[in-house]
């Protein structure tokens, strides 16, 4: 596990959906630039085969089929610089919250903002390294954690700060769990390609302006420790997704604070993986007849 290098799920020009191993131009590591993939057959979490059949990509989809998604876990305040910018102490243990599977969306899908999230202020971005579990585990020791990981993606933990902190009573999931508020992708890069996930550049651009510019070297709880701690007394399943926290530069931490607006284009990126580019779309009033 795994046989692929860069797993993608995509809509092909024949109108069908496939899993594939992305083919990238020479010198390119951004999966979003892939236009073709070698078709994968079999179980992506078990025995599968990267075939020689090359298929044209029409649209990159969320990397995992919704039927393969299990639990979406997220860590808060997992970068030292982010804790500092929000004037919060570094946690001694991971701050864990959950998102529903319906929050997950694809690397180019729009981010819908419902009416409830247009109340107050605080629509914000959080670029994050995403871990995808590939092998069932429980109480896994840190040195064995990587053996249970399918690979890595990049995601955006879209957040509404008023609902997250003020009105939601610090019930973080409430301000972060709306439909489509966890775009991720553009694929899943195997642990054979990314051997050290703690040396990757990670960033956010809003309308092509850099907002976050960090490195996964600043993670408080690294990948092995995160998987090990989250598996203590809890079974992690193939298809579990873990958002690992965000570096400094979020809108909440700026002076003055800067919030996302209707029509903004948000790019989150991770070295060796690529980018997700998603447009903010506020729900509009229904037509009055």
């Amino acid at each position: 596990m795994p046989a692929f290098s860069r797993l993608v799920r995509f809509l092909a020009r024949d109108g069908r959906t496939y899993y594939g191993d992305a083919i990238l131009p020479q010198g390119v590591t951004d999966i979003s630039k892939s236009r073709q993939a070698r078709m994968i057959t079999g179980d992506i979490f078990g025995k599968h085969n990267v075939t020689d059949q090359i298929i044209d990509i029409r649209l990159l989809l969320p990397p995992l089929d919704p039927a393969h998604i299990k639990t979406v876990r997220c860590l808060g305040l997992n970068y030292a610089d982010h804790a500092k910018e929000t004037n919060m102490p570094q946690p001694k243990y991971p701050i864990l919250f959950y998102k529903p599977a319906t929050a997950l969306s694809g690397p180019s899908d729009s981010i819908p903002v419902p009416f409830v999230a247009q109340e107050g202020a605080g629509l914000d971005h959080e670029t994050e390294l995403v871990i995808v579990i590939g092998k069932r585990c429980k109480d896994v020791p840190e040195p064995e954690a990587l053996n249970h990981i399918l690979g890595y993606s990049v995601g955006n933990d879209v957040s509404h700060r008023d609902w997250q902190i003020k009105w939601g009573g610090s019930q973080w999931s409430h301000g972060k769990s709306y439909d489509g508020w966890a775009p991720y992708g553009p694929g899943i890069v195997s642990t054979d390609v990314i051997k050290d996930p703690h040396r990757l550049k990670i960033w956010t651009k809003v309308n092509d302006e850099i907002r976050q510019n960090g490195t996964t070297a600043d993670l408080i709880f690294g990948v092995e420790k995160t998987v090990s701690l989250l598996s203590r007394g809890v079974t992690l399943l193939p298809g579990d997704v873990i958002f690992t926290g965000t570096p400094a530069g979020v809108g909440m931490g700026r002076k003055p604070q800067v919030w996302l607006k209707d029509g903004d284009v948000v790019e989150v990126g991770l070295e060796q993986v690529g980018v997700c580019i998603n447009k903010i779309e506020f729900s509009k009033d229904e037509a009055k007849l």
Side-chain angles (χ1 to χ4, degrees), residues 7-65:
L7 178 72
V8 289
R9 180 171 158 267
F10 62 96
L11 179 66
R13 297 191 184 279
D14 64 6
R16 300 175 65 184
T17 298
Y18 299 91
Y19 277 116
D21 198 355
I23 299 172
L24 295 177
Q26 186 173 1
V28 174
T29 59
D30 181 354
I31 295 175
S32 73
K33 304 296 184 184
S34 60
R35 298 296 177 262
Q36 293 181 317
R38 293 180 177 85
M39 186 174 71
I40 293 176
T41 59
D43 179 6
I44 60 167
F45 297 107
K47 186 176 180 181
H48 64 274
N49 182 43
V50 179
T51 71
D52 292 329
Q53 183 177 353
I54 296 176
I55 304 176
D56 290 336
I57 296 172
R58 179 180 170 187
L59 177 68
L60 289 172
L61 301 173
L64 293 181
D65 186 301

Side-chain angles (χ1 to χ4, degrees), residues 56 134 151 163 226 235 240 247 267:
D56 290 336
W163 276 115
T226 293
T235 300
D240 280 359
E267 172 189 310

Side-chain angles (χ1 to χ4, degrees), residues 82-88 120-126 159-166 206 209 211 249-261 264:
H82 177 50
K84 182 178 180 180
E85 74 172 347
T86 56
N87 295 314
M88 297 182 185
L123 186 62
D124 211 348
H125 53 78
E126 293 192 4
S159 306
H160 189 287
R161 303 305 185 186
D162 276 358
W163 276 115
Q164 175 194 354
I165 299 171
K166 295 181 181 179
V206 177
E209 176 190 350
R211 295 286 181 86
V250 299
M252 179 176 64
R254 292 179 172 270
K255 295 182 176 56
Q257 294 176 326
V258 180
W259 307 125
L260 296 173
K261 306 180 300 299
D264 282 347

Side-chain angles (χ1 to χ4, degrees), residues 26-264:
Q26 186 173 1
V28 174
T29 59
D30 181 354
I31 295 175
S32 73
K33 304 296 184 184
S34 60
R35 298 296 177 262
Q36 293 181 317
R38 293 180 177 85
M39 186 174 71
I40 293 176
T41 59
D43 179 6
I44 60 167
F45 297 107
K47 186 176 180 181
H48 64 274
N49 182 43
V50 179
T51 71
D52 292 329
Q53 183 177 353
I54 296 176
I55 304 176
D56 290 336
I57 296 172
R58 179 180 170 187
L59 177 68
L60 289 172
L61 301 173
L64 293 181
D65 186 301
H68 289 154
I69 296 291
K70 298 299 188 294
T71 301
V72 183
R73 295 174 174 85
C74 307
L75 298 189
L77 291 179
N78 198 25
Y79 282 76
D81 57 357
H82 177 50
K84 182 178 180 180
E85 74 172 347
T86 56
N87 295 314
M88 297 182 185
Q90 290 188 29
K92 295 182 179 180
Y93 298 96
I95 296 175
L96 175 65
F97 63 97
Y98 294 80
K99 289 198 178 199
T102 51
L104 295 175
S105 61
S108 62
D109 292 337
S110 295
I111 298 171
V113 181
F115 295 117
V116 65
Q118 295 177 36
E119 300 169 359
L123 186 62
D124 211 348
H125 53 78
E126 293 192 4
T127 183
E128 309 205 359
L129 164 70
V130 176
I131 302 168
V132 181
I133 298 297
K135 187 178 178 182
R136 183 187 182 104
C137 62
K138 181 179 179 180
D139 295 322
V140 60
E142 286 185 38
E144 299 177 14
L146 293 183
N147 298 331
H148 300 273
I149 294 175
L150 186 71
Y152 307 102
S153 283
V154 64
N156 187 354
D157 173 18
V158 185
S159 306
H160 189 287
R161 303 305 185 186
D162 276 358
W163 276 115
Q164 175 194 354
I165 299 171
K166 295 181 181 179
W167 305 334
S170 292
Q171 299 180 61
W172 289 20
S173 288
H174 189 69
K176 293 171 170 275
S177 293
Y178 302 109
D179 290 351
W181 278 35
Y184 77 117
I188 299 171
V189 180
S190 78
T191 54
D192 290 335
V193 174
I194 298 179
K195 297 184 182 298
D196 185 354
H198 306 107
R199 296 184 178 183
L200 304 175
K201 296 177 182 177
I202 187 168
W203 67 89
T204 298
K205 294 181 182 179
V206 177
N207 303 326
D208 288 326
E209 176 190 350
I210 286 284
R211 295 286 181 86
Q212 293 180 272
N213 190 17
T215 169
T216 57
D218 291 335
L219 281 163
I220 297 172
F221 302 102
V223 170
E224 295 94 335
K225 185 174 289 292
T226 293
V227 172
S228 179
L229 284 170
L230 295 186
S231 75
R232 292 182 65 182
V234 178
T235 300
L236 304 184
L237 297 171
D240 280 359
V241 175
I242 304 171
F243 281 64
T244 60
T246 196
V250 299
M252 179 176 64
R254 292 179 172 270
K255 295 182 176 56
Q257 294 176 326
V258 180
W259 307 125
L260 296 173
K261 306 180 300 299
D262 187 23
D264 282 347

